[in-house]
Amino acid sequence: MTMSVNIDWNNLGFAYMDLPYRWRAYWKDGEWYKEGLEEGKTFPIAEGAPALHYGQEAFEGLKAYRRKDGQIQLFRPDQNAKRMANSAERMLMPAYPEEKFVEAVVKTVQANADYVPPYGSGASMYIRPLLIGVGDNIGVSPAKEYIFTIFTMPVGPYYRDGLAPMPFVTSKYDRAAPYGTGASKVGGNYGGSLLPGEKAKKAGYGDVVYLDPATHTKIEEVGSANFYGIEKDTNKFVTPKSPSILPSITKYSIIHLAKERLGLEVEEGDVYVDELDRFAEAGAMGTAAVISPVSRIDHGDRSYKFYSDKEVGPITQKLYDELVGIQYGDIEAPEGWIVEVPEK
Ligand SMILES: *Cc1c(COP(=O)(O)O)cnc(C)c1O
């Protein structure tokens, strides 16, 4: 392990950093060409690029972790490859082939390995794959050329001082339409979420809870993380099911761990806002948020409170420890979840 770079690993936030290498691949006339590592954070694109005008783009987010023995590992990158292929299909873009995607993530992290934070810092390397429609265009039509890129940066833990519950608030705005692009990881879902997100944060909330766009009676998801509640008495793990939710890889991993390792009953179904009192604990799940406990959800003039506004509920803590233990290599992972990044 060569730690030649000068970074304060214990004080990293979630901020862009210009690392030496990124993956780039170019698509034209039905094939990918010029695939490999490049230096330089900028690249020219045509002013008519459909990604800029009509939101023809998709992205991903995953992390690399350094284990106690120094080895770097990825958490379920094949799932990000699959999801990005689904997003690409929805946006009428050519997907970067799934095996190539995983290999490209490995090579990009490997090339920037000095920037993967040390074990024990609580930090990790964030990986951002991006696919954009480029080339000369003006009418509403799919691009004839595409660029796929993967760039990376070290990021700090979401919570520096351990898990801290945060209040959330429901929004009158929607992030997605009932049969829109909510289940695809695309920029268009985020453009419209900036305003409600900003309003909620200014009012002191962690983030916005979006309701189902058709009836505004059910919880959909939380900003950029999926929602769960732990039912009182039964300890059942309940998480919303909806065609306009982004299918979180963290959520499906936690569902597996809740069932297989904690022996909890799991339900994916409707979570009505006016029934939130049925939960003892609640939280948000995503690559960035990991597992974030929710202290309360304000909805109009009602306020639904969960476990505590200071302490983490016991089931939330157990799920967190299990997930993070697997990600940092301290706990054995289910078959196929971990991909090691070999040294250069
Ligand atoms: C990426 C994302 C999530 C979390 O997905 P993970 O795969 O767990 O990182 C949740 N909601 C939205 C809207 C997202 O974009």
Side-chain angles (χ1 to χ4, degrees):
M1 182 166 69
T2 52
M3 276 291 174
S4 52
V5 298
N6 184 22
I7 290 175
D8 182 1
W9 302 111
N10 295 314
N11 286 300
L12 285 168
F14 194 80
Y16 177 82
M17 196 184 287
D18 179 13
L19 298 201
Y21 301 102
R22 62 277 297 139
W23 191 265
R24 292 218 182 99
Y26 302 80
W27 188 96
K28 197 177 178 176
D29 298 330
E31 58 189 326
W32 292 99
Y33 65 99
K34 212 155 80 73
E35 302 163 74
L37 295 168
E38 290 186 11
E39 291 177 61
K41 65 183 174 183
T42 60
F43 54 94
I45 58 172
E47 62 192 1
L52 299 177
H53 299 257
Y54 306 123
Q56 197 192 19
E57 72 95 56
F59 69 99
E60 270 303 326
L62 67 159
K63 282 176 173 173
Y65 307 84
R66 198 182 288 279
R67 297 195 316 226
K68 208 174 210 162
D69 63 4
Q71 172 71 48
I72 298 168
Q73 62 179 30
L74 303 167
F75 182 73
R76 310 192 77 181
D78 59 315
Q79 298 299 306
N80 297 90
K82 273 205 188 78
R83 189 171 63 190
M84 194 168 206
N86 291 339
S87 300
E89 191 181 0
R90 179 66 180 80
M91 303 309 282
L92 212 59
M93 300 192 286
Y96 199 59
E98 289 174 35
E99 313 77 66
K100 276 195 186 191
F101 176 105
V102 174
E103 192 52 33
V105 170
V106 167
K107 291 232 171 83
T108 311
V109 172
Q110 186 184 54
N112 296 300
D114 291 350
Y115 295 85
V116 179
Y119 174 86
S121 61
S124 55
M125 174 175 270
Y126 185 71
I127 303 159
R128 170 54 60 84
L130 175 72
L131 175 62
I132 55 176
V134 297
D136 298 332
N137 187 72
I138 193 61
V140 179
S141 56
K144 293 186 186 71
E145 294 172 46
Y146 295 86
I147 296 174
F148 173 70
T149 182
I150 303 171
F151 58 100
T152 56
M153 68 213 69
V155 296
Y158 203 69
Y159 293 105
R160 196 160 302 284
D161 307 311
L163 289 175
M166 277 193 302
F168 287 73
V169 63
T170 59
S171 180
K172 65 173 182 176
Y173 296 100
D174 295 320
R175 62 173 285 280
Y179 297 94
T181 55
S184 307
K185 205 167 177 77
V186 300
N189 296 337
Y190 276 90
S193 79
L194 296 175
L195 175 69
E198 180 79 2
K199 282 186 176 175
K201 278 164 203 162
K202 278 205 173 122
Y205 295 101
D207 209 337
V208 165
V209 174
Y210 290 102
L211 303 177
D212 73 292
T215 70
H216 269 220
T217 58
K218 297 178 271 187
I219 303 270
E220 285 262 294
E221 61 174 306
V222 179
S224 56
N226 284 182
F227 176 85
Y228 73 88
I230 304 296
E231 202 171 61
K232 288 172 182 163
D233 304 325
T234 65
N235 281 348
K236 198 194 323 181
F237 179 98
V238 182
T239 186
K241 190 175 180 69
S242 154
S244 46
I245 288 177
L246 194 281
S248 156
I249 294 160
T250 313
K251 171 180 72 185
Y252 286 113
S253 305
I254 290 169
I255 284 178
H256 178 91
L257 298 173
K259 278 188 203 162
E260 302 300 323
R261 300 213 172 160
L262 270 61
L264 302 180
E265 204 189 321
V266 170
E267 179 190 314
E268 275 187 273
D270 291 337
V271 177
Y272 288 94
V273 189
D274 64 6
E275 292 176 5
L276 279 171
D277 279 336
R278 70 195 256 231
F279 299 120
E281 300 177 33
M285 309 166 280
T287 297
V290 193
I291 297 182
S292 303
V294 176
S295 60
R296 67 168 208 273
I297 293 177
D298 290 347
H299 175 65
D301 51 12
R302 292 227 39 188
S303 187
Y304 299 90
K305 295 191 169 61
F306 307 105
Y307 191 73
S308 153
D309 56 5
K310 302 240 159 38
E311 277 159 54
V312 188
I315 292 177
T316 296
Q317 184 72 53
K318 274 191 198 133
L319 290 169
Y320 177 89
D321 291 343
E322 193 70 29
L323 178 73
V324 172
I326 289 169
Q327 290 172 333
Y328 283 97
D330 294 328
I331 296 178
E332 202 189 331
E335 176 89 36
W337 280 21
I338 295 299
V339 172
E340 295 189 348
V341 176
E343 273 186 56
K344 267 175 275 190

